[in-house]
């Protein structure tokens, strides 16, 4: 009896295996579809390129003037000079590139103006009778402006709380323009007169004139020179230091100091209205400026172009069936 039950159980298991095996084989032949291909990488526009703009104010140090406006040949010990370039402002634009997180460079162009050129020479003249001396004053004035092109390199020293200190330097060329330049001379000396009262002896040698109070009477002679306008080129160089603040990833604002050496400038030939001869030009040397400026940098990178959609939608792939 037990033997017959065991045989019946074996036959049931065999029948179930023979019926389910084809289904398991068919399920094994069904495979999941492959994953869709990854989207194309985004296209970066601009890279590390940036545009910049700057405005600022300038204070100029005292330049050196040539002696061309000196009407006399007195020794240097008898002369004193007071030359200046008036303060002014500037505005400029540029384009640059961020090479690494710490190194960038740009090329800038700017226009500069000042309140003008001023020069003066005070000198002691010869002594006259009775110990009376003489003196002279030469004063000059004119307009000064400049266009400057610089190639600059900067080192960014790291960023803390959105603020990046930086230092840098630049070299370039300055087109310095001098216009409406003129000089005026005033020479003051004792007044002399001749005494013709004694006709028998002829004229008495001239002597200084005194007023009723016994004070010497001085006489002042004056004259002017004028110079033609001229634009001249000169090597220029600069040193930078400042702070940049990250307004956004693409926009930076700068507050910076710059030392700028503009080289030299000169006038055109001079002339005196009553004469036809040409006078030597006046040269202005060692033109140096201390600038404080505010600038903006706008980076063209950081924007991406989305990939184009397909022309026709792709069909969803169905299950793959392995065939033998």
């Amino acid at each position: 009896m037990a033997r017959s039950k065991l045989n019946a159980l074996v036959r049931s298991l065999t029948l179930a295996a023979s019926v389910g095996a084809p289904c398991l084989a068919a399920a094994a032949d069904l495979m999941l579809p492959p994953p869709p291909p990854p989207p194309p990488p985004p296209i970066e526009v601009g890279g590390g390129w940036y545009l910049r703009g700057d405005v600022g104010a300038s204070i100029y140090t005292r330049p050196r003037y040539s002696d061309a406006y000196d009407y006399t040949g007195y020794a240097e010990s008898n002369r004193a000079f007071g030359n200046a370039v008036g303060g002014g402002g500037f505005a400029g634009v540029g384009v640059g590139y961020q090479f690494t997180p710490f190194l960038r460079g740009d090329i800038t162009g700017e226009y500069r103006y000042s309140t003008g050129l001023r020069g003066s020479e005070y000198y002691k003249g010869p002594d006259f009778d009775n110990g009376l001396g003489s003196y002279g004053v030469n004063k000059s004035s004119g307009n000064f402006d400049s266009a400057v092109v610089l190639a600059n390199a900067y080192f960014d020293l790291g960023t803390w709380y959105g603020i990046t200190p930086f230092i840098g330097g630049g070299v370039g060329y300055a087109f310095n323009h001098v216009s409406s330049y003129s000089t005026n001379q005033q020479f003051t000396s004792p007044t002399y007169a001749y005494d013709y009262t004694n006709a028998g002896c002829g004229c008495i040698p001239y002597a200084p004139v005194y007023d009723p109070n016994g004070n010497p009477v001085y006489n002042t002679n004056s004259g002017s020179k004028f110079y033609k306008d001229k634009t001249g080129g000169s090597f220029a160089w600069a040193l930078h230091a400042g702070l940049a603040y990250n307004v956004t990833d693409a926009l930076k604002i700068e507050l910076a100091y710059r030392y700028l050496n503009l080289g030299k400038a000169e006038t055109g030939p001079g002339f005196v209205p009553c004469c036809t001869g040409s006078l030597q030009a006046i040269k202005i040397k060692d033109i140096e400026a201390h600038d404080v400026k505010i600038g903006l940098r706008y980076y063209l990178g950081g924007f991406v172009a989305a990939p184009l959609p397909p022309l026709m939608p792709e069909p969803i792939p169905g299950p793959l069936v392995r065939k033998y």
Side-chain angles (χ1 to χ4, degrees), residues 22-281:
C23 296
L24 294 175
D29 288 338
L30 297 178
M31 301 181 63
L32 295 176
I43 302 173
E44 186 176 3
V45 178
W49 291 100
Y50 63 84
L51 303 176
R52 72 173 302 136
D54 300 275
V55 294
S58 303
I59 297 176
Y60 291 86
T61 60
R62 179 175 295 182
R64 293 190 300 116
Y65 282 36
S66 69
D67 295 341
Y69 63 83
D70 178 19
Y71 286 72
T72 65
Y74 298 122
E76 291 288 338
S77 59
N78 292 341
R79 295 158 59 187
F81 298 90
N83 305 321
V85 179
F90 62 91
V93 296
V95 59
Y97 191 82
Q98 187 85 39
F99 297 101
T100 73
F102 302 100
L103 177 63
R104 56 187 169 88
D106 54 41
I107 296 176
T108 60
E110 66 184 50
Y111 170 74
R112 307 176 59 89
Y113 68 91
S114 79
T115 56
L117 299 169
R118 296 184 295 274
S120 60
E121 178 195 22
Y122 302 87
Y123 61 90
K124 182 180 180 300
D127 292 332
F128 290 83
D129 294 341
N130 300 334
L132 300 179
S134 62
Y135 61 92
V137 178
N138 297 330
K139 293 186 176 181
S140 62
S141 64
N143 300 324
F144 174 78
D145 60 290
S146 181
V148 185
V149 178
L150 290 173
N152 306 286
Y154 310 89
F155 296 95
D156 294 329
L157 304 179
T159 301
W160 294 269
Y161 304 101
I163 298 177
T164 305
F166 63 87
I167 58 175
V171 295
Y173 207 71
F175 299 89
N176 298 322
H177 178 66
V178 179
S179 60
S180 302
Y181 199 91
S182 63
T183 66
N184 177 265
Q185 176 207 28
Q186 293 182 345
F187 182 74
T188 302
S189 61
T191 301
Y192 276 76
Y194 288 90
D195 185 359
Y196 296 96
T197 58
N198 190 344
C201 299
C203 63
I204 298 176
Y206 60 85
V209 177
Y210 292 85
D211 64 17
N213 296 324
N215 298 317
V217 177
Y218 280 86
N219 178 51
T220 300
N221 297 315
S222 62
S224 297
K225 297 179 181 179
F226 301 89
Y227 295 82
K228 296 182 179 180
D229 301 348
K230 184 174 181 179
T231 299
S234 181
F235 175 75
W237 59 278
L239 297 174
H240 309 269
L243 301 173
Y245 177 71
N246 299 339
V247 180
T248 67
D249 289 340
L251 181 63
K252 322 289 182 183
I253 185 171
E254 293 182 359
L255 176 62
Y257 161 80
R258 178 179 65 182
Y259 166 83
L260 179 61
N261 189 307
L262 296 168
K264 61 184 180 180
E266 64 179 314
T267 69
F271 62 93
V272 177
C274 64
C275 306
T276 58
S278 178
L279 304 175
Q280 181 181 358

